[in-house]
Every structure is written in structure tokens, then in C-alpha cells.
Amino acid sequence: MTDVAIKRALLSVSDKEGVVDLARNLAGRGVELVSTGGTAKAIRDAGLPVKDISELTGFPEMMDGRVKTLHPVVHGGLLAVRDNAEHVAAMEAHGIGAIDLLVVNLYPFEQTVARGGTREEIVENIDIGGPAMVRSSAKNHDFVTIVTDPADYAELLAELGTLGGKTSLAFRTRMAGKAYARTAAYDSAIATWFAQGDAYTNPLGPEALKATPFPESMTLAFAKQDELRYGENPHQSAAVYVPRGPSVAGIPQARQVQGKELSYNNFNDADAALELVSEFAGGDPAIAIIKHANPCGVAQAPSLLEAWQQALACDSVSAFGGIVACNRALDGATAEAICEIFTEVVIAPGADDAALAAFSAKKNLRLLLLDALPEANRPGMQMKTIAGGMLLQSRDNGDIGLADLKVVTKRQPTEQELADCLFAWKVAKHVKSNAIVFAKDGATAGIGAGQMNRRDSGRIANVRAQEAAEIAGWSASRTQGSAMASDAFLPFADGIEVALDAGASVAIQPGGAMRDEEVIAAADKAGLAMVFTGMRHFRH
């Protein structure tokens, strides 16, 4: 079996976009149209001949439309193997006519969940007849054409035009695969809602429903947004996918105003920048500069331009070819300053005309604009594939405020030192472990990331700070009188030595090491103030 003529088509869609034009084209080719409910009305209102599904089945649509296509006449017409004598005889005996084309898109379950529909609305938007017909047609793709996406109407019509009212086996096979992907994603969205949504909001209560963030079966539904030029390296292939269901808006949803296509590394680094700068949403103007998923400069200041200057000063060498994220709309002066160095991507919740004009001179710079920053402390899950499986964990949305800090040294930190501690802590949360961050007056002074021991991370941070001072022509490094943040506890007193070598006056760390008393004693001896958070931020 190769090409199959389309003589009868069943159209039943929740998304009516393009269906009337499709029906008109099919009718013009002499195709008999059969339809249901609102789809039939739309086709009939366009002046086209259409047969109601009830005329085919001999039964009216009933139970508020819950039962209309679940009938042997429908599924026999879709599932019958046309070159099987027994199937043909059964069709003739029971008055079942072949259905050659099925056009279906399912009840808008995902959209109903996303808009916050009631439980009753959500349940009513679980499609039963649609997926059943889709699966029947896709299984019998040797003879039946199934189309589930309005974006494929044009290709269907082109196929019919090229083949004189027929479809090829290649087209039907490809559409069948797409149809099963759609029903799989649809079922996944429903399963996810039951497990992660309804289980916690159902009047029965989460305990009765044995709710858990880690269900026995993990179903995921993502749609390909785009194929990328390559992955982390040119010999790797890559693509970006977006969730089928409700999700936070991030880099994939940003509006790209200009610049080359985003690469795999651009997506990864831009996401790291967006997540970090979101920690400062609603606060003073803030800038985060990211290189290879690690921050190399972060600052808050009275103006966005000052924040950029302070962030860049932390490590202007690493900032070359980096990613820049802002916590507020970009202005012209800041955009012009950013354009003074080579920058891969800039992300912001808006940009004024002067900023757009400044960036337009840098054709390769990718400018991404978002409607709003994501909530830094939102709930959610993170996943990582490993050989033989997948790891799933809740997002690191732990947040520490002034009231959560425990002073463990004899010297009490000053108000400014506590502010520097909290700023450094927010940044350290987004630095790859082991992480050490020095910060002062709302700006990073030195960042050490990803070392096998935190003593070396501290040394690197100090070296970077010294280099920054030399480049800027300062008389001393900004680590003098700074706060040092460690993403995990300081296991030995040498962590205090690192802070002292850099000139820090206060340290913030989780605490909880076996040698905490030894570390605290070292801080007391040096006159260093230290606070514990009781929370760590490993990031691998």
C-alpha cells in the first residue's frame, strides 16, 4: 500500500483555526465531510455540506458531548484493514463506511490547567473520544491519514494537490508518529496534573491521595521549539524543548530582538544569568555577568549603569564574551556601556528606544527581552540524566534573610557587614561548588568557582580581586573589609585564613562542620565576625 485516495473525512477539532478553509478545500475535491458538534456548525455556517456524526452512528451526541464518536461505525471505519477480506466483509455486513482522513485536535486540557480552571472544568476537558480516534487512525496509517496539528493543514493540502487527492505512505507514517506523540504528551499532562496538581488541591486532601512530589511513574511532555546548530561542542547535536503544560517563562520564551541564533551554550549560560539576576527582582538596579554558567561579576547600585560598571570591575577579563542579565529595563547609557566590550547575550525585562538603538550597532549580539523575571524562590523540579537513569530533585529555592542569620563569633557584624553577607550569599548560591564569593557595598569583589576544595576557590577569588584592583588602578583590592560567603561549611580553620588573606572582615557560611568550634575560635582570634545560615547551596 502506497498512495491512498481521500474520499471521506471526519473533522472534529477544539481549535477551529483553519478548519473551515481545510473543509472548503476538501469539499472542493469531492471529499465527503463528517463532523461533530461545534466543528460541524462552523463548517455548515460556511455554506459547506457536512454530515453530523449522529447520521453516521445512528445515535445522537449525548451526555453533554461525552459520547459521540465512541461507536463501532466510527472506529470500524478507521481501523478496518482495507485489503483484508474479513474486514471488508464485516464492514459490508454492519454498514460501516471507510474513513480515509481524520482531523482532530484534542480538548484544551493543558490550556484549562494553565488558566487556573476549576477542578470540574479541568476534568471535563479530559478528551476521551478524540484520543481514541487518533490512536485508531494512527495504528491503521497504511490506509488512514491522521492530522492532529493545524500547522500541518497546509502540508496535507499540498500532498493532496501533488498526488491528485491522495496521500503517500511516507506522509501518513510521519503524521501517525506525530499523532502518537500528541496523545502521549496529552496523557502525560493529565497524569502530571493528577500527581502534582490535583493531589495537593483536591478536597479529599493530599494525605488521602498519598500525594508525593515523586510519583511512582514520571511522565514528561515537551515540544521541540528549535534545533540548534550543535551542542556544547561542534560534534554534538542539540535542540531546545519547552514544556507542553504550564511553566515559568524563561529564555525559550524570551523575545529575541536581534542577533544570531542562540546556541546550546548560550541557552545554558543565559539561563544561569537569568536565574541569578532574578534573586534581585524588585530591588535596586542589578547586573549579573555570566561566563560558562558561573558569575564573574554581580552588582546592585542606584542606577543600572553603575551596577554594570561595578559588576564589570570585578573581573573584566572573564566578562569578555559573556552573558549579561539585568533586573530591570535597559536604558541607552547602560546599553552603550555594555557594547564597549564583546558580549554574547543580553537579557532584560524590557529596553527603551535608546538601548535598542545602541544594541542595533552590534549585529551579532543577541538581545533577549522578557515580560518579567521568573520568581527566584518558586517551587519546581530539576532533572539530570545519568547513565541508566535520571535524577530528580526540587529546585534550590532556599532563601535566607536577616532574621535567619546566627552570629557565632564574639564580634557582632555591623549592619553594612550583614548586608554584604546577604548579597554575597545570594551570589554564592549560583556559583558552581566549591564556591567562595567576596562582596562589598553591593558588588562582588572576587569569585572562586568549581574547585575541588574551597581553600583553592578562596585563593582564586582573592587573585581575581587583586587583578581587578590592578586593572582599575585602585590602591587596594575590594576584598578589604568585604564579606566572604562559602556555599557550604568551612571544614577547617584554613577557610578563615583565606578570608583574612583577602582582607575580609566578616564571613557567612552554613555551619555544621565537625570542626565548627575550631573555625569559630580562629575567627574570634582574628577579630573576624561570622554568621551561620544553617543552609548550604551546593551547585554541580
Side-chain angles (χ1 to χ4, degrees), residues 102-121:
L102 177 70
V103 179
V104 167
N105 50 66
L106 309 177
Y107 290 174
F109 175 84
E110 298 101 326
Q111 293 91 327
T112 306
V113 173
R115 68 173 171 78
T118 65
R119 188 176 194 279
E120 182 180 7
E121 290 174 322

Side-chain angles (χ1 to χ4, degrees), residues 104-405:
V104 167
N105 50 66
L106 309 177
Y107 290 174
F109 175 84
E110 298 101 326
Q111 293 91 327
T112 306
V113 173
R115 68 173 171 78
T118 65
R119 188 176 194 279
E120 182 180 7
E121 290 174 322
I122 291 170
V123 171
E124 280 307 308
N125 275 280
I126 297 176
D127 203 333
I128 302 301
M133 290 192 295
V134 168
R135 293 174 65 84
S136 293
S137 305
K139 176 175 180 175
N140 202 28
H141 61 273
D142 275 352
F143 304 95
V144 180
T145 304
I146 169 66
V147 177
T148 57
D149 186 350
D152 292 323
Y153 293 172
E155 189 174 357
L156 168 65
L157 295 177
E159 181 92 352
L160 295 174
T162 301
L163 299 179
K166 299 179 179 181
T167 60
S168 65
L169 179 58
F171 178 78
R172 295 193 303 276
T173 301
R174 189 157 49 83
M175 290 297 105
K178 187 169 183 177
Y180 276 120
R182 177 65 188 118
T183 57
Y186 195 74
D187 287 341
S188 174
I190 295 169
T192 298
W193 175 74
F194 270 109
Q196 298 178 4
D198 185 56
Y200 294 93
T201 59
N202 192 297
L204 294 172
E207 185 175 343
L209 296 174
K210 298 181 179 179
T212 169
F214 304 106
E216 292 300 316
S217 178
M218 174 56 62
T219 57
L220 302 172
F222 285 78
K224 185 173 72 174
Q225 185 183 72
D226 200 8
E227 290 191 19
L228 307 178
R229 287 176 295 161
Y230 52 79
E232 282 187 284
N233 301 291
H235 63 275
Q236 294 172 267
S237 55
V240 58
Y241 285 76
V242 295
R244 286 274 191 182
S247 66
V248 65
I251 300 303
Q253 290 76 30
R255 178 169 62 94
Q256 184 169 352
V257 176
Q258 65 170 62
K260 299 183 294 184
E261 294 178 0
L262 293 174
S263 70
Y264 180 97
N265 291 333
N266 290 154
F267 270 105
N268 189 54
D269 292 348
D271 177 68
L274 180 62
E275 291 282 19
L276 172 50
V277 86
S278 294
E279 296 279 356
F280 304 100
D284 288 340
I287 293 276
I289 308 173
I290 297 290
K291 191 70 171 290
H292 295 301
N294 267 312
C296 56
V298 185
Q300 273 190 296
S303 71
L304 207 57
L305 177 58
E306 291 173 272
W308 161 255
Q309 292 167 339
Q310 294 297 319
L312 179 63
C314 178
D315 187 355
S316 58
V317 175
S318 297
F320 183 85
I323 310 287
V324 175
C326 315
N327 72 341
R328 58 182 57 199
L330 278 156
D331 58 86
T334 306
E336 289 176 5
I338 292 172
C339 287
E340 290 175 2
I341 71 166
F342 170 53
T343 302
E344 289 275 9
V345 181
V346 176
I347 312 135
D352 65 20
D353 290 342
L356 294 176
F359 286 129
S360 67
K362 299 287 185 179
K363 300 299 183 183
N364 289 332
L365 182 147
R366 291 95 159 173
L367 176 60
L368 306 178
L369 300 182
L370 288 160
D371 291 332
L373 299 177
E375 171 56 48
N377 298 320
R378 67 189 183 277
M381 291 289 173
Q382 293 175 317
M383 65 189 71
K384 177 181 174 62
T385 57
I386 58 174
M390 179 182 75
L391 299 174
L392 189 69
Q393 67 172 348
S394 59
R395 291 185 70 254
D396 182 4
N397 57 6
D399 189 35
I400 293 294
L402 197 60
D404 301 303
L405 301 181

Side-chain angles (χ1 to χ4, degrees), residues 431 434-438 446-449 454 457-458 461 484-487 490 498:
V431 179
N434 286 311
I436 294 291
V437 174
F438 292 100
I447 301 172
R454 62 192 56 257
S457 289
M484 183 190 82
S486 174
D487 65 335
L490 298 175
V498 168

